[in-house]
Amino acid sequence: MVKIVKTYKVEKRRAAKTIARRKNWRKFGAAENDPPGPNPANTIVQVEEINIQIILNKENKNQEPEEDPLAKLKTQKLVSCRICKGDHWTTKCPYKDTLGPIQETLETDKKKPEEPSGGAPVQAAAAPVATNKQGGKYVPPSMRDGAAKGRGETMKSSRDESATIRVTNLSEDTRESDLQELFRPFGPIQRIYLAKDKNTGQSKGFAFINFHRREDAARAIAGVSGFGYDHLILNVEWAKPSGTA
Amino acid sequence: MCDLNEILKPILLHGHERAITQIKYNREGDLIFSAAKDNQPNVWYSLNGERLGSFKGHNGAVWCIDVNWDTTKVLTGSADNSCKLWDCETGKNLNTLDVKNAVRTCGFSYSGNLIMYSTDKTMGHPCEIHIFDVGDPGQMKSGEPCMIIPVAGPKITSAIWGPYEEYIIAGLESGEICHFDTKTGEKLNAVKEHSKQINDLQLSLDFSMLMSASKDTTAKLYDTTTLKHMKTYKTERPVNSAALSPLQEHVVLGGGQEAMEVTTTSTRVGKFDARFYHLIFEEEFGRVKGHFGPINSLAFHPDGKSYSSGGEDGYVRVHYFDPEYFDFRFEF
């Protein structure tokens, strides 16, 4: 059983005579047999209230954040051409015919040595990690920001290697003090490096002498080269830069 | 008798089986007249949505409806090639004016002494405006109009009487709006601000401003006498109807997709809301949703405190404005 509860409120309104008269007109046509008051079959009062949505300022505010991401995307390079790095698809590249074949040959050359070694998959896996960090091309570890500030750079910058001589054919018993004694007469020495065996502490037979001045080094070469020391004849020459050695 | 609790809730008038074509209030606003593509126009009490009656007699879609100044007579134009005059109190058919083709628009002049209707350009018959003197029984019986204005070129899709019965304002299929002199039949003014068909023309309460709604997704405001274009209200769908508020500086626009595309569109994206724009700033400030089809006709209550919309869904919705609407002020 369904119980229908209807609540009515009878309201009196003052209206113009004409309106009041019309209010008492008899119904006609399809509504002829309707009882007084609205016929629920034709007149439905919506249960939910529908108010006007004021949207003027709200919408403007809502629209802006919607547009922003799009604007960002526009500035970002979504598409990058593999041939000329332009802002378009590779197939649409204007240099496709000229640059394309050259790059292809280059790439096949690169791939060839990789394939037999079997290291290609490893490199492929490593590369994306690097690109994520650097946000661009693959950078070998030695060239990266953190790693690059290692010994090599600081040594190079602090020491001038132009006044360095290399002494070879030293006897095993040679000590740094001996070398200092030998070379001091030519000029002030900045540093002496004697290569030694880690375990025994004996000389490995060669040493580097850093002079402060290049002239001193030149005189040392002239003076000591071919000089018999202990039972060996010393060989003295300009030290080659460390990178090429 | 009416439910006051529900006064803010919209009233749905479901007296039509097919799409609403035109709705109008009478001068005092106590009655709403609705015409639809079924053959029975209805009249309702606007206060509580009670149906007063229906006008039986047409055999085709009713394209247009109008009521005279003192709410004694109703005029309807139909696709059954006739225009009928009714007694508003009893619903009796007073006169039937037979035409060669479908009647697209009809209207009483302000005095109620003259009526006009325009016909479609179909079946080899040209588009014409016919004017009758309601007071002359001979004319009304014989169906011989006192004035025929032939319209060359694109047909009339919307027409209303101008002030003082001097001219008829007509909107054409091409988007042109023009004046036709009622005495000479001359085309007086013509402007072409719209690129597509004019769906609706409405005047402001004092007849000084004219509002046009067009299929080209805009509604425009003109000076009635000079047809000088003043304002444009832009939407993103065809505008089927546009009405000027008699109380505030607001206009309301209704529209939506074409009827043939409706079945493939959901209510949410269909944009079937009635949209409120500021008259001067041309800026949208509010929406009222509810219809699940395009709005075909809109009308403000003459007191500006409520409005009605008739949709392709066959419903007429009577909305009373909530206090928020009256409190709302534009920020300058």
Side-chain angles (χ1 to χ4, degrees):
Chain A
M1 206 176 90
V2 182
K3 189 181 174 188
I4 298 169
V5 180
K6 281 190 178 179
T7 48
Y8 289 102
K9 183 173 179 182
V10 179
E11 191 205 39
K12 281 190 180 166
R13 290 198 181 193
R14 293 188 73 83
K17 269 185 192 172
T18 51
I19 298 174
R21 200 182 312 125
R22 282 200 285 270
K23 200 69 200 158
N24 293 320
W25 279 357
R26 288 191 57 186
K27 294 185 181 182
F28 58 87
E32 199 174 1
N33 300 318
D34 284 357
N39 182 351
N42 300 122
T43 306
I44 306 146
V45 178
Q46 194 157 9
V47 180
E48 53 180 314
E49 257 178 55
I50 293 188
N51 290 347
I52 186 165
Q53 296 169 289
I54 304 291
I55 51 164
L56 178 68
N57 294 324
K58 283 177 201 164
E59 187 168 283
N60 287 349
K61 274 176 196 164
N62 289 342
Q63 272 177 355
E64 275 165 23
E66 270 176 31
E67 283 168 5
D68 270 353
L70 280 176
K72 269 185 196 170
L73 284 178
K74 270 177 199 166
T75 54
Q76 253 179 15
K77 235 190 191 179
L78 279 177
V79 178
S80 171
C81 173
R82 284 198 303 276
I83 292 168
C84 69
K85 305 284 178 269
D87 196 6
H88 50 81
W89 296 103
T90 309
T91 48
K92 302 264 170 71
C93 181
Y95 308 110
K96 190 169 62 175
D97 297 331
T98 52
L99 286 179
I102 300 171
Q103 289 217 334
E104 270 171 34
T105 51
L106 282 176
E107 260 175 53
T108 47
D109 287 353
K110 259 190 223 164
K111 272 179 191 169
K112 270 176 194 163
E114 275 172 15
E115 277 162 7
S117 72
V122 180
Q123 282 191 345
V129 179
T131 45
N132 283 349
K133 281 178 186 169
Q134 300 288 328
K137 279 188 271 180
Y138 171 74
V139 179
S142 61
M143 301 290 276
R144 284 177 204 163
D145 285 348
K149 284 169 190 166
R151 288 151 284 158
E153 239 177 69
T154 47
M155 284 171 82
K156 261 183 205 170
S157 63
S158 66
R159 194 172 303 130
D160 180 18
E161 293 199 10
S162 62
T164 304
I165 55 170
R166 188 174 72 149
V167 187
T168 52
N169 209 21
L170 286 166
S171 72
E172 286 180 351
D173 306 327
T174 314
R175 293 172 192 277
E176 283 181 17
S177 55
D178 300 332
L179 291 172
Q180 201 166 358
E181 212 176 288
L182 182 65
F183 287 102
R184 187 174 283 166
F186 300 102
I189 293 164
Q190 192 184 11
R191 171 180 166 269
I192 291 171
Y193 172 76
L194 178 66
K196 281 181 239 167
D197 190 295
K198 263 180 199 166
N199 299 326
T200 60
Q202 281 187 320
S203 163
K204 282 169 116 183
F206 70 94
F208 290 100
I209 320 288
N210 286 42
F211 284 93
H212 279 288
R213 288 192 296 271
R214 198 175 158 84
E215 307 92 80
D216 299 340
R219 278 194 286 124
I221 291 168
V224 181
S225 193
F227 182 80
Y229 194 71
D230 283 352
H231 58 281
L232 297 165
I233 295 166
L234 293 180
N235 180 28
V236 182
E237 57 190 11
W238 290 108
K240 284 164 192 157
S242 57
T244 56
Chain B
M1 200 199 295
C2 78
D3 300 8
L4 269 198
N5 298 339
E6 297 168 350
I7 208 77
L8 274 178
K9 296 174 183 175
I11 306 170
L12 277 68
L13 312 181
H14 188 213
H16 293 284
E17 287 158 8
R18 293 201 54 207
I20 307 293
T21 52
Q22 193 168 34
I23 55 169
K24 262 182 193 164
Y25 281 91
N26 64 344
R27 190 176 56 93
E28 287 98 339
D30 61 324
L31 296 179
I32 298 170
F33 296 83
S34 63
K37 285 181 185 170
D38 59 15
N39 49 26
Q40 268 191 46
N42 282 312
V43 53
W44 315 77
Y45 290 108
S46 66
L47 193 65
N48 59 358
E50 186 179 346
R51 179 155 74 167
L52 172 63
S54 63
F55 303 96
K56 279 183 183 170
H58 275 300
N59 285 321
V62 182
W63 288 119
C64 52
I65 189 163
D66 198 20
V67 60
N68 68 350
W69 186 81
D70 52 1
T71 324
T72 53
K73 283 173 185 141
V74 179
L75 187 69
T76 55
S78 166
D80 66 357
N81 298 0
S82 72
C83 191
K84 286 179 189 284
L85 191 68
W86 312 83
D87 180 59
C88 188
E89 186 178 345
T90 60
K92 276 182 190 152
N93 182 10
L94 300 173
N95 286 103
T96 299
L97 306 165
D98 286 314
V99 202
K100 296 273 174 23
N101 34 19
V103 176
R104 181 60 58 166
T105 66
C106 68
F108 279 102
S109 70
Y110 191 77
S111 70
N113 292 332
L114 295 173
I115 58 166
M116 68 89 186
Y117 60 80
S118 77
T119 61
D120 270 356
K121 186 168 69 177
T122 48
M123 297 183 288
H125 298 290
C127 173
E128 285 177 342
I129 301 173
H130 293 183
I131 298 169
F132 286 85
D133 186 346
V134 183
D136 182 351
Q139 262 184 46
M140 296 306 284
K141 270 202 181 122
S142 65
E144 282 297 317
C146 65
M147 181 76 206
I148 296 177
I149 304 169
V151 179
K155 71 165 186 182
I156 290 175
T157 51
S158 181
I160 47 171
W161 280 91
Y164 311 119
E165 305 175 357
E166 283 173 346
Y167 49 84
I168 287 160
I169 307 161
L172 307 183
E173 201 174 18
S174 60
E176 194 178 319
I177 297 173
C178 51
H179 287 170
F180 287 101
D181 191 303
T182 50
K183 299 274 187 319
T184 63
E186 247 181 299
K187 202 173 180 179
L188 297 174
N189 283 325
V191 286
K192 193 171 184 297
E193 297 287 347
H194 287 292
S195 57
K196 284 180 183 162
Q197 140 182 349
I198 310 288
N199 283 326
D200 190 29
L201 289 173
Q202 292 196 24
L203 289 173
S204 62
L205 193 66
D206 61 359
F207 289 10
S208 64
M209 290 181 291
L210 171 72
M211 190 82 191
S212 69
S214 168
K215 206 175 165 184
D216 71 357
T217 74
T218 61
K220 294 187 189 225
L221 187 75
Y222 309 83
D223 181 90
T224 309
T225 46
T226 61
L227 287 184
K228 187 178 167 257
H229 172 231
M230 296 192 287
K231 298 285 173 190
T232 303
Y233 312 93
K234 288 179 191 141
T235 69
E236 62 285 339
R237 65 248 161 101
V239 185
N240 291 336
S241 189
L244 285 148
S245 168
L247 186 67
Q248 312 222 45
E249 287 172 332
H250 296 162
V251 295
V252 58
L253 271 58
Q257 276 90 353
E258 302 237 13
M260 59 189 291
E261 290 166 26
V262 166
T263 48
T264 57
T265 317
S266 82
T267 333
R268 199 165 47 79
V269 299
K271 294 168 182 166
F272 304 137
D273 314 349
R275 299 170 70 166
F276 287 79
Y277 286 69
H278 193 275
L279 179 76
I280 293 153
F281 303 134
E282 305 171 330
E283 205 171 330
E284 186 184 359
F285 68 88
R287 282 181 191 187
V288 175
K289 57 177 195 275
H291 280 288
F292 47 91
I295 293 173
N296 284 343
S297 187
L298 280 165
F300 263 103
H301 189 287
D303 70 4
K305 289 174 185 166
S306 66
Y307 83 99
S308 297
S309 54
E312 191 75 19
D313 52 12
Y315 284 94
V316 176
R317 299 175 68 97
V318 185
H319 287 263
Y320 284 85
F321 291 119
D322 44 284
E324 201 190 347
Y325 169 80
F326 298 106
D327 294 341
F328 175 73
R329 290 286 174 275
F330 256 81
E331 287 167 21
F332 296 99

